[in-house]
Amino acid sequence: MSAGTLTVVEAGSAQITDLGRRRGPRFGVPANGALDQGAARIANILAGNPDDAPLIEITAFDAEFVPDVDILVAASGAEGVLRVGGVIRPWNEPVSVRAGEPVSVRALRGGLRAYLAVRGSFDVPLLLGSCAPDSVLGFGERLAAGGAVTLRAATPPVVNPAFGTALFRLDVPARAAKGVVEVADGPDAADFAGTADRLFAAPYTVSPTSNHIGLRLTGAPLPERCATGEVLSRGVPVGAVEVPPGDELLVLHRGRGVTAGYPVLAVVTSASLDALAQVRPGERVRFRRVSDADAAARARRDRAARDALRLRVRSVFAALDVPPPTSTGRTPE
């Protein structure tokens, strides 16, 4: 059901996405979805949506949109300048936008990707339960100037009762540092014998050929596989650190194929995988080994922090009589 439209004025590199298709890999289809899953979840939580509701992923360049109905938005991820009607508004907070007011995200800094959620989300096509674009299958489209996206709900303006102060102070969870990539040992770590620790000895530089399928990293000396047996093609996880022949490491991201045949030295933790979504070509990162138990504990802490944020947002919206949006997604994981 349509409540209005969001017209695209400018979108250098922006697309509608969600948290990806969980059912995809069993059919040989990559998960895809927001590369910074944590930031996408937070944007949706701030807007009062389910975690996996469709939202706009903005990469590197400026974007601007105009709704034809009143809406409520929230921006998260790589911090930038959020303007509504030409006025700078807070990042990581719910913000009202009146019909006809331009809402823009510009000057991203400290990262590569920002996420703009609209309360009630968008009415978009789904493939295997997800709107995440897949360039191989030809599903989904990047947003382009002059296009429009169907809105599923309108939200009346939320008026600040205390003029001159922030309407919300929601204590958004801290993000993982970009420069340090935490990894657990991969299934083929033993194949690298005494060279495995080279992964942690020096920083690696992000190659400009990196994309949503994987990040290519250069640095020396690289770990060397000492085992001589052939590595058969098998299922590989998102975040696998592969060591192919040549002078690069490959960190598989959400657009990766579900099988591969390179040795997997390590696997990036979920928090650090989100951080890798924010690194720009030419930036340097260091790897740090963590145990499986430590990685699981960090994931639990991150989930608990998001749950607490969700409760605070719901409490604020209830106190201000903000109407609930139309249901737009699956139950949060």
Side-chain angles (χ1 to χ4, degrees):
M1 182 174 66
S2 172
T5 59
L6 186 72
T7 298
V8 182
V9 177
E10 180 182 3
S13 182
Q15 60 187 3
I16 303 289
T17 191
D18 54 23
L19 297 183
R21 46 189 58 84
R22 293 187 299 228
R23 293 190 293 137
R26 77 181 67 170
F27 299 107
V29 178
N32 284 303
L35 288 193
D36 187 338
Q37 297 266 294
R41 288 178 184 273
I42 287 172
N44 267 325
I45 290 171
L46 291 170
N49 293 333
D51 288 26
D52 62 351
L55 77 173
I56 301 174
E57 181 179 68
I58 300 166
T59 302
F61 301 104
D62 298 343
E64 183 175 324
F65 312 93
V66 177
D68 62 3
V69 294
D70 295 339
I71 60 174
L72 183 142
V73 303
S76 191
E79 191 165 340
V81 178
L82 174 67
R83 281 191 172 89
V84 174
V87 178
I88 295 178
R89 300 304 306 275
W91 203 257
N92 282 324
E93 282 193 15
V95 173
S96 288
V97 182
R98 295 182 182 273
E101 283 187 325
V103 51
S104 64
V105 173
R106 302 186 182 279
L108 294 185
R109 58 187 183 276
L112 189 61
R113 293 177 172 89
Y115 295 86
L116 185 71
V118 177
R119 184 169 175 82
S121 193
F122 307 103
D123 189 5
V124 289
L126 303 179
L127 173 65
L128 295 176
S130 169
C131 72
D134 189 295
S135 57
V136 176
L137 297 178
F139 177 79
E141 295 182 1
R142 290 194 176 275
L143 300 178
V149 186
T150 301
L151 297 165
R152 296 194 63 180
T155 301
V158 180
V159 179
N160 186 347
F163 181 78
T165 64
L167 182 57
F168 303 96
R169 297 186 185 277
L170 294 169
D171 190 22
V172 171
R175 299 172 49 78
K178 270 198 320 177
V180 179
V181 181
E182 295 186 338
V183 298
D185 285 341
D188 305 316
D191 289 359
F192 292 85
T195 73
D197 284 344
R198 292 179 184 176
L199 182 67
F200 312 104
Y204 289 83
T205 302
V206 179
S207 166
T209 58
S210 300
N211 55 25
H212 68 289
I213 296 174
L215 276 77
R216 297 184 179 275
L217 306 173
T218 59
L222 296 178
E224 296 179 10
R225 184 171 181 260
C226 302
T228 57
E230 182 179 358
V231 178
L232 300 178
S233 184
R234 69 269 168 88
V236 291
V238 174
V241 180
E242 293 189 327
V243 187
D247 59 357
E248 292 182 325
L249 291 177
L250 181 62
V251 179
L252 300 184
H253 223 305
R254 297 191 60 79
R256 100 283 185 237
V258 297
T259 61
Y262 294 131
V264 177
L265 171 59
V267 179
V268 178
T269 65
S270 58
S272 283
L273 194 64
D274 289 346
L276 279 178
Q278 298 294 355
V279 297
R280 294 174 177 263
E283 291 186 337
R284 305 175 84 187
V285 298
R286 276 186 175 272
F287 289 94
R288 181 170 65 197
R289 179 186 281 119
V290 296
S291 68
D292 292 344
D294 286 343
R298 170 62 191 265
R300 288 193 295 270
R301 290 195 301 272
D302 288 347
R303 177 176 292 190
R306 290 194 299 268
D307 288 345
L309 175 64
R310 188 179 296 108
L311 180 60
R312 292 193 295 272
V313 170
R314 288 174 178 172
S315 298
V316 169
F317 284 157
L320 295 173
D321 292 324
V322 179
T326 304
S327 177
T328 59
R330 303 181 292 262
T331 301
E333 296 179 55

